[in-house]
Amino acid sequence: MEAIRLHSYGPAANLRLETVPDPVARAGQARIAVGAAGVHFIDTVLRRGEAVGPHPAPDLPAILGGEVAGVVESVGEGVPAELVGRRVLASDVLSGGYASLAVADAAALTALPDHVDDGTAVAMAATGTTTFGLLEIAPPGPSDVVLVMAAAGGIGTLLVQYARAAGARVVGAAGGPEKVARVAELGADLAVDYRLPGWDKAVREAIREMGGEVSVVFDGVGGELGRAAYGLLGRGGRHLVYGSAAGEWFFPAEEEAAARGVTVIDGIGRLLGRAGGFGDLQAKALAAAADGSLRPAVQAFPLARATEAHEALESRNTMGKVILVP
């Protein structure tokens, strides 16, 4: 099969397209002909040889990627033969997802409806699941003014859509005219470019004209942009942090937040400590894709261009969920 392998830690150029032996589905496992494989920012960190939370740097050589969608091609001992030929989603691939074939535990596979394509399924696997987890922690409602940072990203696009459907007024902030236009298309009441000087002041003025103030921030960026977003919150607001696309996390001092009456939430920490796992959240995400209530943005790269996909992610030059297509 074809796969992207990493032989040494370092830049994206270290990712190589190679022909390697096909993985074998052992007892309790299924082999999937991959239609789409998910790419996460965490993959770029692991590629550099750095651990991310509970995820250690991979042993080399490695095939990165943990989620795929496709068709079951073969099964191992103890797995019903009728599973062969079914379209499935695998969120915990055992053999690496950046490949034309992947192996996963059969019991952990999720059946896909015909009208949910592979790219959409992968987009909703972890990205959609994370989004619903964040919404569980800080649910927006009709009385809220919601500021979504990185609003053209995989999670951001889903947050904008959900908050609008919940009746909230939504400000979507993204970097560059093309991304801002995309955020406006999603239905944000205000779409702004946070690369422009004074963007936060413009947001404050626009929200005041609407007769309100920001009550919820979903911050997937961090750094100085995260600090600026935090500064827009009104008293009693919620600042939920779930990412650091700017290169560093932003968490204000507890004393400062308390003085302003602002609740700061470590979204990823809360998710990792969530009781009962994430199966119910993934089910919600896939159901939302199936009924059309949420439409994930997907940016696809051919498998052979995995290096380009990683470089685009690291330069924040992507819109939506990044996938590789064998």
Side-chain angles (χ1 to χ4, degrees):
M1 70 170 185
E2 286 192 329
I4 297 294
R5 289 216 293 178
L6 179 70
H7 290 269
S8 59
Y9 303 129
N14 288 2
L15 297 170
R16 302 179 187 173
L17 178 67
E18 298 179 352
T19 299
V20 300
D22 294 350
V24 176
R26 304 189 185 281
Q29 299 176 347
R31 187 169 73 187
I32 302 162
V34 177
V39 181
H40 289 272
F41 191 82
I42 187 177
D43 296 348
T44 69
V45 180
L46 295 173
R47 188 204 71 226
R48 296 195 296 267
E50 302 171 23
V52 181
H55 304 283
D59 294 330
L60 300 177
I63 299 175
L64 300 176
E67 61 192 16
V68 303
V71 177
V72 175
E73 183 196 71
S74 63
V75 296
E77 181 182 353
V79 180
E82 54 265 29
L83 189 62
V84 174
R86 293 187 182 178
R87 294 184 62 246
V88 297
L89 170 68
S91 299
D92 192 11
V93 172
L94 303 174
S95 59
Y98 293 10
S100 55
L101 295 171
V103 168
D105 286 332
L109 300 178
T110 300
L112 294 177
D114 291 339
H115 59 285
V116 176
D117 64 69
D118 292 338
T120 295
V122 167
M124 297 305 275
T127 301
T129 297
T130 301
T131 300
F132 273 90
L134 300 178
L135 291 166
E136 182 179 75
I137 297 168
S143 63
D144 283 311
V145 176
V146 178
L147 170 58
V148 179
M149 301 293 285
I155 292 175
T157 57
L158 297 176
L159 289 171
V160 169
Q161 293 173 67
Y162 186 97
R164 283 288 292 144
R169 284 172 290 178
V170 180
V171 179
E178 186 178 1
K179 292 185 178 182
V180 171
R182 171 59 180 161
V183 173
E185 291 172 1
L186 292 171
D189 297 277
L190 177 64
V192 297
D193 188 343
Y194 53 36
R195 291 182 179 176
L196 298 179
W199 72 271
D200 52 330
K201 295 179 181 179
V203 169
R204 189 185 302 279
E205 293 173 2
I207 294 301
R208 282 176 177 168
E209 290 179 4
M210 295 181 189
E213 56 187 2
V214 175
S215 57
V216 182
V217 170
F218 288 102
D219 177 22
V221 179
E224 290 303 312
L225 291 174
R227 179 178 294 279
Y230 163 75
L232 290 169
L233 276 169
R235 189 165 189 82
R238 294 167 286 173
H239 185 87
L240 189 149
V241 179
Y242 70 88
S244 57
E248 59 180 343
W249 298 85
F250 169 73
F251 287 97
E254 293 182 8
E255 300 81 4
E256 178 187 354
R260 290 183 53 198
V262 170
T263 301
V264 179
I265 306 167
D266 177 357
I268 297 302
R270 286 277 293 273
L271 278 177
L272 291 176
R274 184 179 187 268
F278 308 105
D280 60 326
L281 297 177
Q282 185 179 91
K284 288 181 180 179
L286 290 174
D291 66 21
S293 57
L294 291 181
R295 304 181 310 280
V298 177
Q299 185 167 347
F301 292 81
L303 180 66
R305 290 167 55 193
T307 291
E308 185 179 335
H310 271 229
E311 290 174 341
L313 265 178
E314 290 177 296
S315 64
R316 296 167 62 188
N317 192 31
T318 60
M319 284 197 289
K321 171 66 179 179
V322 176
I323 65 171
L324 297 176
V325 180

